[in-house]
Structures are given as structure tokens and as C-alpha cells.
Amino acid sequence: MTFLRRRTPRALLLLLLWMPSRLVLAQDTTFKEGVRIGLVYAPGTKPGLLVLPVEGTAGDSVRAILQRDLTQGDRINVIVIEPSALPPVAVGEAKPNYPLFTKLGAAAVLQVTPNSFGIQVSVHNAGKGLVERTKAFPIPSTPLSSDWRLALHGVSDEIEQWITGVRGIAATRVLYVTGGRVWQTDSDGAGAVAITSSGTAMSPAWHPKASHFAYMTMGTTGQQIVIREIGGATRTLGTTPGGLNMTPAFSPDGNTIAYAHGAESGTDLYSTNAFGPEPARRITVGRGTDNTQPSFSPDGRRIAFTSGKNGHPEVYISDADGTSAELLTPYNFGDQSYRANPDWSPDGRLIAFEALIGGRMQVMTIGLRDRAIKQHTSEGVNEQPSWAPDGRHLVFTSTRGGTKQLWVLDVESNTVRQLTRAPSGARFGAWSPLLRSR
Amino acid sequence: MTRAARLLSLSLLALTAVSACRKKPATIPLPADVAPTPSETCDQACRDRLALDEKRRADSTAAANTARDAAARERALASTKAALAAPIYFEYDSDELSADARATLDAKLPIYRANPSLRIRVTGNTDERGSDEYNLALGQRRAAAVKRYITDQGIDGGRVEIVSFGEERPAVSELNEEAFRLNRRAEFEIIAGGDALVVPK
């Protein structure tokens, strides 16, 4: 093309007039990593997607949820057009108007058709003018129910994987604390519901299979860790009775639980069998200092944690048994910095944490390979980061809206969206692994 | 003096004495420094009234003394309770006991010693800056520092429980330096032996 433009512009013009419009609008023909269905787009850009109107009683809800999920994944540019401007295209009907869609900026067109047991989804490659992929998804029959939403979020995630090569994070939930109770909400903020009774809960943490969660309850005589099966029984972790027991974290295999226990000589990290009777084993020796907030690496061999062993809180990493501890967040001698709350990303590349910047906590990340630190927030107080399964999004607590609420951050673009609007505020967000609908 | 004049004088004297007895109503208290004395002319009824007045005065004085003593005891008890409950304050991100904090704790020690059955709970608290969870650990350290100081002064450690509430129970729910200062504290709660508190001498 460049050769033609330089040497024979008139010939190029004739060629463009001759070519089908879809070829003219295809901007790049080189293969980009992550592209799975033949869509082409430049690195750093997001492919345009247009979701056709969906028929059926809950068709508008289906379309709205899919559009929202794919937008919030931050990898696809969803082109929002009023349904009246785009009449639905039934299966077996003539081909969609691909040239029109490409002119609207759509690299892909999503067609969703209700069937007897759920929905059939087709992804059209607008540039090539063909259907790249079609699949039928079972969806529960009760529209807008919790299971119905989760199933639809799962569809969104699979579509995102088809288009970008990376599975979405819509079929996830976030635990958080409001009014002293643990709540859970869908990743889009819908379906918020309390899942513990009254009390003073803090620090919820998901089991890697999302079958259980652990949290801390605070009484008048101390704190204890409770492990609760989702929709089932609870068990109090009694390995270190009395005193302070907090910040539980499950190992990636789900068998071990690490937590902080404090008595009269500082707070140290302990670990034990999450579901067995074994005694807890101390894995840090703080000698009167505080060691809290453990977070396992994805392979379970290392942990990141907060320690005040050098006089003020910093983030350290060590082997899972507490040996080979090293300071992760650098500081200068005499520096009164404050860095805490580490969370190891699911892909193992980054650790998110909070740091005191100008008197306010801000969400930061540090690269495990190059130790490069990035500040991701600056408005209000921002703390308690927790990674989504894609290793790209974080849920965190922020006061930027006036009260403490949960927000979601895309660490690549630093864009944020509000997740909760709890009247009494929300904090301690914990993002679940990917969930499968039942 | 003539006989008639002497008789007249005696009559007047008797009359005066009788009228004086009549004019002293029992319900009117005399000034304390004007204690009545039965005169030779005061009859039994007069003396009874005087004795009754005397008893009433004594009773009143005793009641006043009792009330004064009770008030003093109440004040001492209130002062003892206030000393027991007095919080201590910490610097930012620190569990070190300042001179003021030690003085406040020292004032509690005689009370602990005078009341061997007294058991207390020390709660460690922080201001709202910093990590919510790390602040729980900091509050625990503050409560532990208080217990260490008390037990170092000879108080049995079994009488002192500690717990941390971190930043979860602020004394002042505001966001300014004074509120932060007042929230960085250890509080003291009686959990046993507080019903019959003995005031130390």
C-alpha cells in the first residue's frame, strides 16, 4: 500500500474504489497476539463490537448485560446504538449489513438469539463478512435471577476470550464488608446480598475454588477467624485461641490458610491446614513487631506480607514457610513511609499494595521482575486492593465519592468505575476467582 | 431596800423568768454559740424542751457530718473510678508510653493494689490513618505495652486482659489532628471486682 501510495496515487484511488469496503477499512493485516477469531486491530487499541438487539422477553436485559460486561472488561470497545436503529437479525436471515457495521467502527458483531434452553451466540467478523463462531449456551429459565445473571456473565467472558484471547472477568463476585456484615455482589455491582449475620466482620478472603470464604469477627475480648462454606456451615479456626486473629488468606491449592495472630508480644503470621485439626505453625518471627496481611504467590511457594520490623509498615516477600524474607518496597533511611496490604496478582507479575502518599493512602503496584513501582490513584484515600482473576483489574476502597465505597481500577488505563453504593459505606473488597454457573 | 420593794423585785424576776421560758419556742434553733442553760427557775417542762433542742442539734450535726463523710467518700470513689477509667494517649504509629501516660498508669496502681479482686480489660485503639488491619495489630501492641507496664509494677498479669479495636471504635468521629490524638489511646474497663471498690488510703 505504501509503495502504491508513493508511486501511483491515481492507481491507488482506482484500486480503493474497486475493493470491497470491508477491505478498505481493515487497518492492519498482521497477526496480533491475543486475537483468536481473525479480528485485526493494532496493539493498544480495542476492537469495536456491536451487539445486535436481542429478541425475547428479557432480550433487552441480555443485551444490556452483555454490553456492560464487555465494556467493563476494558479490552473491547462496545459501540452502543439504540435498538430501534438496529433491527434484530434472525438466524437464517440474510447476512447483516457488514459494510454499515464496519463504517460504525465495529470489527465484530454479536448476534444473540434465544432458543429453547438458553441462547445461541454468533460472532460475526464484520471485516471479513462472515460468522467466525457460533455456540449455544444454556441459561437458567428465570430471567434476572442470580444464577441467570451468572450464566450470562459467563457467556460474556467466553465472547471476550473469542475476540481478544483473554477470558473476561464478568462471571466473578466481590466480597466486601458493610455495616459489620460480609456482603457479596456480582462483578457489575448487581445482586448485592448480605451473607453473614450481624457482627463485626473484617477481611473476607475467597477460597481458590470459591467454595468457601474466610473472614475475621471482632468481639469484646478479641478477634477470631471464621471459615464459611458458601451457603453452608461455618467453622471457627481455633488454632490460636484468644487475642488477635485476622487477615486470613488461602493458599492457591486451597489446603492451607495463613493468617496473623497477635497476643502480648507483637503480631506474627501463622499457617495451618484450612480444614484439618493440625496446630498452627508460626512463619514469621517479629520479636514484638507486627506482621500481617499475607498473600500467596500463584504457585503457592511464596508469600507477600506487611511487616513493621523496620519501624514502619513495609511490604516483604518470603518463602511460604517464612524463610528468605526480603524487603519488597524500598525506602530511604529515616523515611516515614507506610506501605501495606499486598495482594499478589494471579499471573504472578505484580503485587498491588497501598502506600501513604502526601498523607493519603494510594493504590500502587510493583513489578516482581523489575521492582518498578506505579501509582494508580490520586483522588481521595484509596486502599485495600484485591486483584481480579485477569490480573488487570483491582477492586479497592476509595473515599473519592465522599464515603468509603468499592471501586474497580483497570491498571493498564487507570480508569475506574464505582462498584458499590452501600449507605453505610463499604470496604475490604475481595475479588473471587472465575465462577461457573450451576 | 424596803420589804415592799424587795418583794416587787423578786416578783418581777420570777415573772421575767417565766415569761422567758414561755418565749423560747422549741422549733426555733438557737445559734450554736448561744447554748441555752437551764436556769434555776426553769421547770421540768422547760428542761425537757431544752434537752430536746440539744438532742436535735446533736442529731443535726451528726447527720451533717455523716452526709459530709458520705460525700467525701463519694468524691473519693468517683475520683478512684475516674483514675481507673482514665485513658492514656500515644503518638502516631507508636506504642511507647509517654511520661503523661506513665503518670496516668501510676495513679491506677494503688487502686489495683487496694482491690485484689479487681480485673480490668485494656483496649488498644488507633486513629483512622493507615491500614485498617495493621491498625488492629498496632492497637494490640498498645494494649500489650500497657499490660507490660502494669505487671512490671507488681500487678498480677492474670488480672489484666488486653484487646485491640484498632480504628474501629473511635472516641471522636472527626478527621482532624485533635480527633486523631484523642483516638490514639488505650482505654480501661473493669470486668470484675468493681462492685465494692476500696478507695486506697
Side-chain angles (χ1 to χ4, degrees):
Chain A
M1 294 283 247
T2 306
F3 173 80
L4 288 173
R5 194 181 298 124
R6 197 184 307 136
R7 295 295 175 88
T8 54
R10 187 167 296 174
L12 173 64
L13 187 60
L14 290 170
L15 180 63
L16 289 176
L17 288 171
W18 173 79
M19 285 171 69
S21 61
R22 61 179 180 271
L23 292 180
V24 174
L25 292 170
Q27 297 169 349
D28 189 354
T29 56
T30 55
F31 176 78
K32 299 293 186 301
E33 189 179 355
V35 177
R36 290 292 180 276
I37 65 168
L39 298 174
V40 286
Y41 55 97
T45 64
K46 299 190 288 189
L49 173 77
L50 195 146
V51 183
L52 294 176
V54 181
E55 290 183 325
T57 50
D60 288 346
S61 297
V62 169
R63 183 171 186 252
I65 290 172
L66 292 175
Q67 284 183 330
R68 188 166 63 228
D69 286 350
L70 295 166
T71 298
Q72 292 177 350
D74 289 311
R75 289 184 170 87
I76 292 171
N77 180 30
V78 175
I79 300 156
V80 179
I81 294 177
E82 283 298 309
S84 56
L86 289 168
V89 181
V91 175
E93 210 171 88
K95 282 185 178 180
N97 189 346
Y98 292 122
L100 171 64
F101 295 144
T102 53
K103 281 176 186 169
L104 292 170
V109 177
L110 189 64
Q111 184 180 8
V112 180
T113 312
N115 60 25
S116 57
F117 63 94
I119 55 175
Q120 177 167 302
V121 176
S122 298
V123 175
H124 299 256
N125 185 328
K128 291 182 180 174
L130 51 82
V131 175
E132 288 279 3
R133 191 140 187 182
T134 296
K135 184 177 177 180
F137 293 89
I139 301 288
S141 56
T142 311
L144 304 179
S145 67
S146 175
D147 287 344
W148 183 89
R149 284 180 178 278
L150 185 60
L152 205 55
H153 291 320
V155 173
S156 301
D157 291 348
E158 192 156 339
I159 292 167
E160 192 168 331
Q161 186 158 29
W162 291 351
I163 295 173
T164 68
V166 180
R167 189 170 183 85
I169 51 167
T172 56
R173 288 185 172 134
V174 174
L175 295 176
Y176 62 98
V177 173
T178 181
R181 303 169 74 183
V182 179
W183 285 59
Q184 75 172 15
T185 179
D186 290 356
S187 64
D188 59 359
V193 60
I195 54 175
T196 65
S197 55
S198 59
T200 313
M202 288 173 69
S203 319
W206 285 96
H207 187 272
K209 292 179 180 163
S211 56
H212 296 73
F213 67 98
Y215 61 102
M216 182 207 83
T217 60
M218 184 160 67
T220 54
T221 58
Q223 293 82 7
Q224 52 191 9
I225 288 170
V226 175
I227 299 175
R228 177 183 284 244
E229 186 178 3
I230 296 288
T234 61
R235 184 174 77 88
T236 300
L237 195 69
T239 45
T240 47
L244 177 62
N245 297 283
M246 63 172 182
T247 62
F250 287 100
S251 62
D253 65 8
N255 295 327
T256 301
I257 189 167
Y259 63 98
H261 169 66
E264 293 177 17
S265 54
T267 299
D268 276 304
L269 297 183
Y270 288 71
S271 72
T272 187
N273 186 329
F275 301 103
E278 287 88 345
R281 191 169 58 85
R282 192 167 72 165
I283 58 177
T284 60
V285 184
R287 294 188 180 87
T289 63
D290 298 327
N291 300 272
T292 66
Q293 300 168 330
S295 173
F296 282 92
S297 64
D299 63 6
R301 294 164 64 182
R302 307 212 82 196
I303 51 169
F305 59 99
T306 306
S307 176
K309 66 168 80 174
N310 278 338
H312 53 270
E314 290 288 346
V315 175
Y316 290 73
I317 54 175
S318 75
D319 291 344
D321 63 1
T323 59
S324 309
E326 59 175 309
L327 178 66
L328 181 68
T329 45
Y331 70 99
N332 299 318
F333 183 77
D335 182 6
Q336 283 299 308
S337 65
Y338 192 125
R339 300 176 177 105
N341 246 323
D343 193 42
W344 211 308
S345 69
D347 59 12
R349 293 184 307 115
L350 299 168
I351 287 177
F353 61 99
E354 63 193 43
L356 198 61
I357 308 286
R360 290 179 162 190
M361 286 294 187
Q362 301 299 344
V363 172
M364 321 285 283
T365 56
I366 183 169
L368 269 299
R369 185 170 293 175
D370 57 7
R371 302 289 168 104
I373 294 179
K374 287 182 185 170
Q375 181 179 340
H376 295 281
T377 58
S378 57
E379 185 184 349
V381 175
N382 304 281
E383 54 192 344
Q384 300 164 351
S386 170
W387 287 103
D390 64 355
R392 173 168 170 160
H393 292 87
L394 287 164
V395 64
F396 65 103
T397 304
S398 179
T399 61
R400 65 186 61 209
T403 60
K404 282 188 176 179
Q405 297 290 345
L406 297 191
W407 292 67
V408 173
L409 166 74
D410 172 18
V411 297
E412 293 195 10
S413 65
N414 281 346
T415 55
V416 295
R417 66 177 168 91
Q418 188 169 353
L419 181 67
T420 62
R421 288 173 173 79
S424 56
R427 56 184 179 149
F428 299 117
W431 211 314
S432 79
L434 288 170
L435 304 172
R436 302 287 178 190
S437 58
R438 288 169 283 179
Chain B
M1 189 180 283
T2 62
R3 189 176 176 189
R6 203 177 297 127
L7 276 171
L8 184 62
S9 299
L10 283 171
S11 300
L12 282 172
L13 192 66
L15 206 63
T16 304
V18 168
S19 75
C21 288
R22 274 191 193 141
K23 280 178 186 172
K24 282 180 192 164
T27 53
I28 298 174
L30 287 172
D33 55 345
V34 190
T37 51
S39 68
E40 292 174 2
T41 56
C42 184
D43 61 7
Q44 186 58 42
C46 170
R47 283 195 294 274
D48 287 348
R49 278 194 297 274
L50 287 172
L52 186 61
D53 286 344
E54 180 65 22
K55 184 175 182 308
R56 281 178 176 159
R57 262 193 310 276
D59 287 349
S60 172
T61 303
N65 288 341
T66 303
R68 192 170 58 242
D69 290 348
R73 277 198 304 276
E74 278 298 315
R75 279 197 302 275
L77 191 61
S79 172
T80 300
K81 286 180 176 174
L84 274 178
I88 62 168
Y89 299 97
F90 295 85
E91 292 299 312
Y92 173 69
D93 197 23
S94 170
D95 63 345
E96 280 185 27
L97 299 176
S98 65
D100 281 351
R102 287 168 190 266
T104 304
L105 293 177
D106 287 344
K108 299 175 191 287
L109 297 172
I111 307 171
Y112 296 152
R113 293 188 185 111
N115 295 273
S117 61
L118 192 66
R119 295 182 65 235
I120 61 161
R121 181 180 296 131
V122 181
T123 67
N125 300 270
T126 72
D127 66 35
E128 74 134 51
R129 294 172 296 179
S131 158
D132 298 9
E133 293 150 335
Y134 193 86
N135 277 341
L136 276 173
L138 175 58
Q140 185 81 7
R141 239 186 318 130
R142 286 176 174 165
V146 170
K147 178 173 181 177
R148 217 164 25 246
Y149 184 82
I150 291 171
T151 53
D152 283 351
Q153 308 305 314
I155 306 300
D156 180 10
R159 297 169 57 192
V160 184
E161 283 185 11
I162 63 170
V163 67
S164 171
F165 295 136
E167 62 180 84
E168 305 302 317
R169 299 188 182 184
V172 181
S173 296
E174 292 174 16
L175 298 178
N176 55 56
E177 286 300 329
E178 180 61 6
F180 295 154
R181 186 187 70 77
L182 293 172
N183 288 336
R184 293 191 301 264
R185 72 203 191 279
E187 290 186 342
F188 300 83
E189 180 189 345
I190 296 172
I191 54 177
D195 293 337
L197 209 54
V198 175
V199 177
K201 296 187 175 172

